[in-house]
Amino acid sequence: MEPSERISRRFAEARAAGRPALVVYLTAGDPRPERTPALALAMERGGADILELGVPFSDPIADGPVIQQASERALKAGTTVERVLEIAAEIRRNSEIPIVLFSYINPLLHYGFDRLCRDARQAGVDGVLVTDLSVEEAEEPVEAMRRHGLDRIFLAAPTSTDRRLDLVARYSSGFVYVVSRTGVTGARDTVERSVEELVHRLRARTPLPLAVGFGISRREHVEQVGRYADGAVVGSAVMRVVDESADEELEARLEGLCRELSGRQ
């Protein structure tokens, strides 16, 4: 089955407009599962191009404290993989925003990976990013995602060897998530300048769009990254707003954050 092309289309539209695509992360089920679809649509109104829908997990080793706490709240609110797929389907009924399922491998294996891919595609999900899936052991999961028409998004890190970057380029579709620094997710004051070199190393290996994440939290970060990459990924800054906002002001504050990040005032 062929991928939906929603992801590649959004990157192409952003490129034609002369700007980087804004990729936003949202933990599904935080503060409650029934709130997530409206929050996603609010971020799209603010200028988000692509949505990473986080599957809450009890041991999110790649995430910093903000997203760890978001996962804890979502799990306590009863969010399961099944519920995340229901949330994705509800978003899809109201929007064509590309949806990337952002997860760790354990909850997906527990659900059944092939079943997950089938149900995700039926729910309107466009791609899957499994943060702790080793690219050296990815052949079978990649084949399952390809079979069900899902884009395969892999991470490239500053510590990645040339061989690993070759595999990332070979297995990825949709886009490649370029990690700006070592360590866990979380907002930072500056973006590591060394990530530009990593982007250039990947450019030599793949024509896919490259989106830089980890530490991106401000408009100036998006602009900086946009000089050499195709997109910027914002996660912890989004989830901090979810954590700090009153329930009735969540949509307005998230829409405002995305307007600021995208520059679409």
Side-chain angles (χ1 to χ4, degrees):
M1 185 182 294
E2 294 298 320
S4 72
E5 297 187 353
R6 288 191 190 93
I7 292 175
S8 58
R9 192 181 310 131
R10 284 296 177 105
F11 274 106
E13 290 169 356
R15 189 179 304 114
R19 60 176 179 79
L22 177 61
V23 184
V24 293
Y25 168 92
L26 182 65
T27 300
D30 180 31
R32 303 183 305 282
E34 62 270 25
R35 294 289 280 123
T36 303
L39 304 187
L41 297 178
M43 292 198 293
E44 184 182 26
R45 289 195 298 275
D49 292 293
I50 295 172
L51 173 67
E52 288 183 348
L53 191 60
V55 177
F57 179 49
S58 58
D59 187 24
I61 57 173
D63 289 309
V66 172
I67 294 180
Q68 287 183 16
Q69 290 161 15
S71 284
E72 290 175 9
R73 292 191 296 269
L75 290 169
K76 286 180 181 176
T79 310
T80 61
V81 173
E82 291 90 338
R83 190 71 180 94
V84 174
L85 295 176
E86 291 172 1
I87 289 168
E90 187 170 344
I91 295 169
R92 179 60 66 229
R93 281 193 287 273
N94 296 284
S95 170
E96 282 297 301
I97 189 171
I99 300 173
V100 174
L101 212 59
F102 185 102
S103 183
Y104 292 83
I105 192 67
N106 276 359
L108 305 188
L109 290 177
H110 182 74
Y111 186 89
F113 198 82
D114 193 74
R115 175 189 172 211
L116 179 281
C117 293
R118 180 199 66 195
D119 293 353
R121 180 59 189 260
Q122 290 179 354
V125 170
D126 300 285
V128 178
L129 192 165
V130 186
T131 57
D132 55 349
L133 175 61
S134 169
V135 72
E136 287 86 355
E137 301 172 355
E139 190 168 346
E140 187 173 338
V142 162
E143 178 52 34
M145 289 186 273
R146 183 182 291 122
R147 187 164 58 249
H148 291 285
L150 294 166
D151 275 321
R152 293 77 63 187
I153 295 99
F154 281 91
L155 299 171
T159 54
S160 296
T161 63
D162 286 346
R163 178 177 179 276
R164 176 162 289 190
L165 292 185
D166 288 340
L167 290 172
V168 167
R170 181 193 304 172
Y171 287 139
S172 295
S173 67
F175 69 97
V176 177
Y177 189 128
V178 185
V179 177
S180 70
R181 55 180 169 72
T182 57
V184 297
T185 61
R188 294 290 189 278
D189 290 334
T190 59
V191 179
E192 294 285 346
R193 293 188 179 277
S194 59
V195 70
E196 186 172 355
E197 179 186 349
L198 178 57
V199 167
H200 291 318
R201 290 171 66 199
L202 277 162
R203 286 266 189 243
R205 290 171 164 82
T206 177
L208 288 174
L210 307 177
V212 174
F214 279 44
I216 311 293
S217 62
R218 302 174 185 169
R219 175 61 188 165
E220 58 262 36
H221 296 165
V222 176
E223 291 175 339
Q224 177 185 338
V225 164
R227 295 184 192 116
Y228 50 82
D230 305 284
V233 187
V234 181
S236 293
V238 170
M239 298 318 301
R240 180 173 290 117
V241 168
V242 173
D243 182 31
E244 295 176 350
S245 302
D247 193 71
E248 63 273 14
E249 64 180 9
L250 268 173
E251 283 90 338
R253 289 202 60 190
L254 287 175
E255 182 176 341
L257 172 65
C258 288
R259 287 192 185 285
E260 178 183 337
L261 291 166
S262 65
R264 300 184 208 178
Q265 299 295 335

